[in-house]
């Protein structure tokens, strides 16, 4: 047994005896010693083993503190985002007691680490998926949405389930508002395939659980569309996805105009739809500038509108999923 393994075993014994404070403090001291030596591997092993033991003993505060310390060491040691480093984080995340306040900060810190040392500018998809799934299981839909929208290919199904379960607690006519919460985030990150999958799953749950909706199936050689006679905005979402795959700006404008009254009733889709219009149909979002400020800026800075900014490092290219090829209309 190595020195590190002996240290972890001693502290695990103290934890099993209920000496949580003493174990927590000693683990911190030992880890700090290795950090000063820049022995990142040893420090991580100590913190991981101790944090896991404390979390499993129901000590969310002490265990969470060691989890945060471990992520800090990941950063100081410039640890790459890989299977081993993520595996430790996910094991700790799954071990957190329900409703432990430290958990949210731990999730945010590990996402920030994955942004800095990984290849995805919004954070590692696997970390997002697991975090979102755990939040969904703990009935925290807002946190679940935030992470599942940036997750893996399995995330659309999970997000659609979250939104549908949330919808069942609301009025029946609000279905599209919840479906949109599963569709728009994927569209806004360039992930059309996941948006389609999320809507398909939400629609399936909706129709199977509500036989009285009188849904009509409209099929062609290139697509299948479900028409909801009493839920017009569900139809809008389906047609919006078809328009993104096939149509141009004119088709999008016609679609938005046709459903304008219903969209206005929702009252919260305007910004998302404006961004979707720009991203997929090239419809520029009007600038909300102040004319007087713009004029003064022109006078003071020779037409620049603002003082020049210092140069900044070029951002990493963002990985987004390319939209599928256009569907043949014939």
């Amino acid at each position: 047994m190595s020195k590190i393994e002996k240290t972890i075993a001693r502290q695990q014994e103290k934890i099993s005896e209920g000496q949580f404070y003493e174990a927590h403090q000693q683990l911190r001291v030992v880890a700090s010693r290795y950090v000063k030596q820049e022995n990142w591997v040893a420090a991580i092993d100590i913190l991981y083993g101790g944090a896991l033991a404390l979390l499993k003993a129901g000590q969310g505060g002490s265990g969470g503190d060691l989890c945060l310390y471990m992520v800090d060491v990941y950063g100081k040691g410039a640890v790459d985002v890989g299977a081993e480093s993520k595996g430790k984080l996910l094991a700790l995340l799954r071990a957190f007691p329900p409703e432990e306040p430290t958990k949210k900060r731990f999730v945010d810190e590990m996402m920030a680490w994955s942004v800095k040392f990984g290849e995805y500018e919004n954070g590692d998809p696997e970390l997002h998926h697991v975090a979102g799934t755990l939040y969904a299981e703990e009935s925290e839909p807002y946190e679940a949405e935030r992470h599942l929208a940036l997750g893996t290919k399995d995330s659309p199904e999970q997000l659609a389930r979250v939104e549908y379960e949330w919808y069942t607690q609301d009025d029946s006519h609000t279905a599209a508002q919840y479906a949109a919460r599963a569709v728009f985030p994927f569209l806004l990150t360039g992930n059309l395939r996941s948006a389609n999958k999320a809507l398909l799953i939400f629609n399936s749950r909706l129709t199977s659980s509500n036989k009285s909706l009188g849904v009509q199936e409209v099929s062609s050689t290139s697509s299948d569309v479900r028409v909801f006679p009493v839920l017009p905005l569900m139809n809008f979402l389906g047609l919006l996805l078809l328009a993104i795959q096939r149509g141009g700006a004119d088709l999008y404008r016609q679609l938005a105009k046709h459903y304008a009254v219903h969209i206005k009733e929702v009252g919260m889709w305007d910004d998302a739809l404006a961004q979707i219009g720009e991203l997929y149909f090239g419809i520029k979002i009007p600038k909300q500038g102040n004319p007087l400020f713009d004029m003064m800026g022109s006078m003071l800075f020779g037409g620049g509108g603002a003082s020049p900014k210092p140069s900044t490092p070029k951002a990493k290219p963002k990985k987004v999923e390319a939209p599928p090829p256009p569907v043949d209309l014939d």
Side-chain angles (χ1 to χ4, degrees):
M1 185 180 289
S2 69
K3 183 179 178 181
I4 293 173
E5 290 172 336
K6 288 178 181 178
T7 300
I8 295 173
R10 277 198 305 271
Q11 300 312 318
Q12 285 177 337
E13 185 176 349
K14 288 187 178 182
I15 291 169
S16 66
E17 294 171 352
Q19 300 180 49
F20 305 122
Y21 178 79
E22 292 83 353
H24 173 227
Q25 293 302 308
Q26 290 182 22
L27 285 162
R28 253 193 164 277
V29 169
V30 175
S32 296
R33 191 179 304 139
Y34 283 121
V35 168
K36 288 179 182 178
Q37 298 171 5
E38 297 188 359
N39 188 341
W40 313 118
V41 173
I44 289 167
D45 286 344
I46 289 287
L47 292 168
Y48 171 70
L52 192 60
L54 284 165
L55 290 174
K56 287 182 176 180
Q59 300 301 300
S62 298
D65 175 67
L66 295 185
C67 288
L68 292 172
Y69 193 1
M70 192 183 86
V71 179
D72 182 55
V73 174
Y74 270 20
K76 289 177 178 177
V79 176
D80 288 334
V81 179
E84 183 178 356
S85 56
K86 288 195 298 182
K88 285 184 168 65
L89 293 173
L90 294 178
L92 293 174
L93 180 59
R94 292 186 176 102
F96 265 86
E99 302 181 4
E100 165 55 44
T102 317
K103 176 178 172 180
K104 185 176 183 299
R105 185 181 166 195
F106 175 61
V107 170
D108 290 343
E109 293 289 336
M110 74 178 187
M111 293 304 173
W113 162 77
S114 76
V115 168
K116 186 172 182 179
F117 296 100
E119 58 180 317
Y120 296 90
E121 73 169 7
N122 291 317
D124 185 80
E126 185 182 4
L127 296 180
H128 276 300
H129 178 74
V130 174
T133 300
L134 291 173
Y135 279 127
E137 291 172 355
E138 295 172 9
S139 299
E140 294 193 42
Y142 290 112
E143 292 298 326
E145 286 178 327
R146 188 162 72 95
H147 292 289
L148 290 172
L150 299 170
T152 67
K153 62 182 178 61
D154 297 318
S155 297
E157 182 174 0
Q158 184 65 53
L159 183 54
R161 288 176 176 174
V162 168
E163 302 300 352
Y164 187 80
E165 292 303 320
W166 203 2
Y167 157 65
T168 59
Q169 303 170 35
D170 207 338
D171 296 329
S172 59
H173 69 274
T174 62
Q177 296 178 39
Y178 291 91
R181 296 180 77 98
V183 171
F184 287 169
F186 289 121
L187 289 181
L188 293 172
T189 54
N191 195 338
L192 179 57
R193 184 176 289 109
S194 289
N196 273 297
K197 184 177 180 180
L199 185 61
L200 177 64
I201 292 167
F202 190 97
N203 282 349
S204 296
R205 295 285 298 273
L206 182 62
T207 53
S208 63
S209 302
N210 299 273
K211 301 297 184 182
S212 61
L213 282 176
V215 179
Q216 301 169 13
E217 300 280 350
V218 179
S219 300
S220 69
T221 56
S222 57
S223 65
D224 294 313
V225 179
R226 289 177 180 174
V227 177
F228 296 83
V230 296
L231 298 172
L233 286 179
M234 290 299 297
N235 301 330
F236 170 76
L237 293 174
L239 293 171
L240 172 63
L241 294 178
L242 282 177
I244 289 172
Q245 296 174 68
R246 307 178 177 189
D250 290 341
L251 178 58
Y252 175 71
R253 289 191 182 97
Q254 291 174 21
L255 186 61
K257 183 178 180 181
H258 182 78
Y259 288 96
V261 173
H262 302 291
I263 293 171
K264 186 176 181 181
E265 288 176 356
V266 174
M268 62 182 80
W269 286 9
D270 291 348
D271 288 344
L273 291 176
Q275 293 180 59
I276 289 168
E278 183 171 79
L279 180 61
Y280 294 98
F281 302 101
I283 302 173
K284 296 296 182 183
I285 300 175
K287 291 184 178 180
Q288 302 296 321
N290 184 315
L292 178 60
F293 180 83
D294 291 344
M295 180 180 70
M296 293 298 293
S298 179
M299 292 170 60
L300 294 173
F301 303 112
S307 57
K309 295 182 180 180
S311 60
T312 55
K314 187 176 180 181
K316 291 182 286 186
K318 180 172 71 172
K319 285 194 175 184
V320 297
E321 184 176 327
V327 179
D328 189 354
L329 296 177
D330 294 332

